[in-house]
Amino acid sequence: MPELPEVEVVRRGLVEHAVGRRIRAVTVLHERAIRRHLAGRADFEAAVAGHRVIDIRRRGKYLWWVLDDGDALLAHLGMSGQFRVGPTGEHKHPHLRVRFTFDDGGPVIDFLDQRTFGGMSFLPGQADEPGPLAHIAIDPLDEQYDLGATVARIKAKNTEIKRALLDQSVVSGVGNIYADESLWRAQVHYARSTQALTGPAIRRVLQAARDVMTEALSVGGTSFDALYVNVNGDSGYFDRSLAAYGQEGRPCPRCGTLIRRDAFMNRSSFYCPRCQPPPRVSGRGRAS
DNA sequence: ATAGCTACCTGGGCGC
DNA sequence: TGCGCCCAGGTAGCTA
């Protein structure tokens, strides 16, 4: 699943393969991929064609192409979106949703997306900050990131720590995998109350989030299944370093207790019941 | 206002 | 062999 490290790997790939090139044409093969572009397919195709790509930027899990004339092409990979660089005229992948061709006649860039939760939109004049990002917090790998301010924002909320971690308006870029890994590293249970946790404990969770995402980025991200690869179709290697996520029934790397999986927020949460004891008062049911 | 729930999607895996 | 069900989960938009 693409979270911050995976999206950053994709951003770097697009910097290498798209920046400096002029888009000749864009073809939308699946309308849902541009559902956020309310003016529709024909408008999207016409608006994007002819622009030169100046830069690729990212905040959290969003990335956007900075185009000449100050326009933005905003993209989100959702669950299964991929940008792939490939030779012109290759057979079309069954999950191909949008194809970009370029004036230089070089490799095409394809947007593939099996589950179609991802997509893109063209936002004229919004290269500096696309409108849909207004509520997305600065992410932990941004140089403007303020850890202390993020601790304060979490303390001000009345919810459980994992909900706060996954709230993209509080801290962006963290998804289910890195949330569980961060909580495991900080030895904090997912259901602990943001009110009851101390400032230093919240700080440890956020520092763990930054650390784990930095480490994942350095090995190309996490390819837990086949749904995340870089622009060249290669997997990342961080799945080998996961301590908690997806490790149900395996020993905790720290204490040897078997990792558990709970349903939480209609998702799975993986944790060590010994290193990450659940809150006492919360009344959350746990099998003995 | 804030917190928390559901819809949206597809294909792999599983049980029968 | 095939059918049907469940599961994965990021985000927008809804409700209370």
Side-chain angles (χ1 to χ4, degrees):
Chain A
M1 312 301 160
E3 302 179 28
L4 188 154
E6 293 75 36
V7 178
E8 175 60 17
V9 170
V10 170
R11 188 196 69 82
R12 293 177 183 182
L14 289 172
V15 165
E16 186 177 345
H17 291 99
V19 167
R21 304 176 73 193
R22 188 173 297 280
I23 299 165
R24 172 177 292 168
V26 52
T27 308
V28 176
L29 294 95
H30 195 305
E31 194 96 40
R32 195 173 142 77
I34 55 141
R35 66 194 180 283
R36 304 281 169 215
H37 187 86
L38 302 180
R41 179 198 314 232
D43 184 87
F44 179 86
E45 292 178 345
V48 174
H51 282 288
R52 202 164 76 90
V53 184
I54 304 299
D55 196 8
I56 312 289
R57 297 189 193 155
R58 180 190 59 73
R59 182 190 294 172
K61 302 169 199 169
Y62 282 90
L63 53 82
W64 70 101
W65 302 29
V66 173
L67 306 176
D68 55 3
D69 296 345
D71 301 330
L73 178 67
L74 181 66
H76 197 292
L77 303 179
M79 292 287 299
S80 54
Q82 306 179 351
F83 280 110
R84 302 280 290 271
V85 176
T88 315
E90 284 295 287
H91 82 281
K92 292 185 166 121
H93 190 283
H95 302 143
L96 177 63
R97 308 307 186 200
V98 181
R99 168 165 285 184
F100 296 85
T101 63
F102 296 87
D103 277 359
D104 57 23
V108 302
I109 293 182
D110 286 339
F111 179 72
L112 316 180
D113 192 6
Q114 179 204 106
R115 295 181 193 169
T116 70
F117 278 23
M120 57 191 82
S121 56
F122 177 81
L123 299 164
Q126 297 181 34
D128 285 343
E129 189 191 81
L133 270 62
H135 70 286
I136 303 296
I138 300 297
D139 67 64
L141 300 195
D142 193 302
E143 56 182 26
Q144 310 231 13
Y145 179 67
D146 184 336
L147 187 105
T150 308
V151 171
R153 204 171 317 136
I154 290 179
K155 272 206 84 67
K157 291 183 74 71
N158 180 21
T159 188
E160 294 144 310
I161 183 64
K162 187 172 176 183
R163 290 185 190 277
L165 266 185
L166 292 174
D167 184 338
Q168 304 297 300
S169 71
V170 173
V171 52
S172 71
V174 180
N176 204 39
I177 296 174
Y178 297 115
D180 280 2
E181 291 301 302
S182 304
L183 292 165
W184 179 83
R185 288 188 180 206
Q187 299 182 239
V188 171
H189 188 270
Y190 60 83
R192 293 290 299 276
S193 153
T194 53
Q195 306 271 299
L197 283 170
T198 64
I202 294 173
R203 176 174 286 262
R204 280 195 294 277
V205 172
L206 289 172
Q207 278 171 336
R210 184 161 60 186
D211 290 347
V212 71
M213 291 197 294
T214 300
E215 290 170 32
L217 174 58
S218 73
V219 294
T222 301
S223 299
F224 190 69
D225 53 29
L227 294 183
Y228 163 71
V229 292
N230 69 15
V231 298
N232 298 311
D234 303 319
S235 297
Y237 298 108
F238 197 71
D239 59 308
R240 301 171 186 179
S241 304
L242 295 173
Y245 184 86
Q247 307 303 307
E248 182 183 20
R250 295 208 178 90
C252 166
R254 190 163 43 219
C255 78
T257 305
L258 300 188
I259 296 292
R260 286 202 191 170
R261 177 176 63 169
D262 285 356
F264 179 69
M265 293 174 71
N266 290 320
R267 305 281 181 264
S268 286
S269 276
F270 298 90
Y271 67 106
C272 171
R274 182 170 171 192
C275 298
Q276 302 165 266
R280 287 185 218 105
V281 246
S282 138
R284 168 159 301 284
R286 290 175 58 243
S288 80

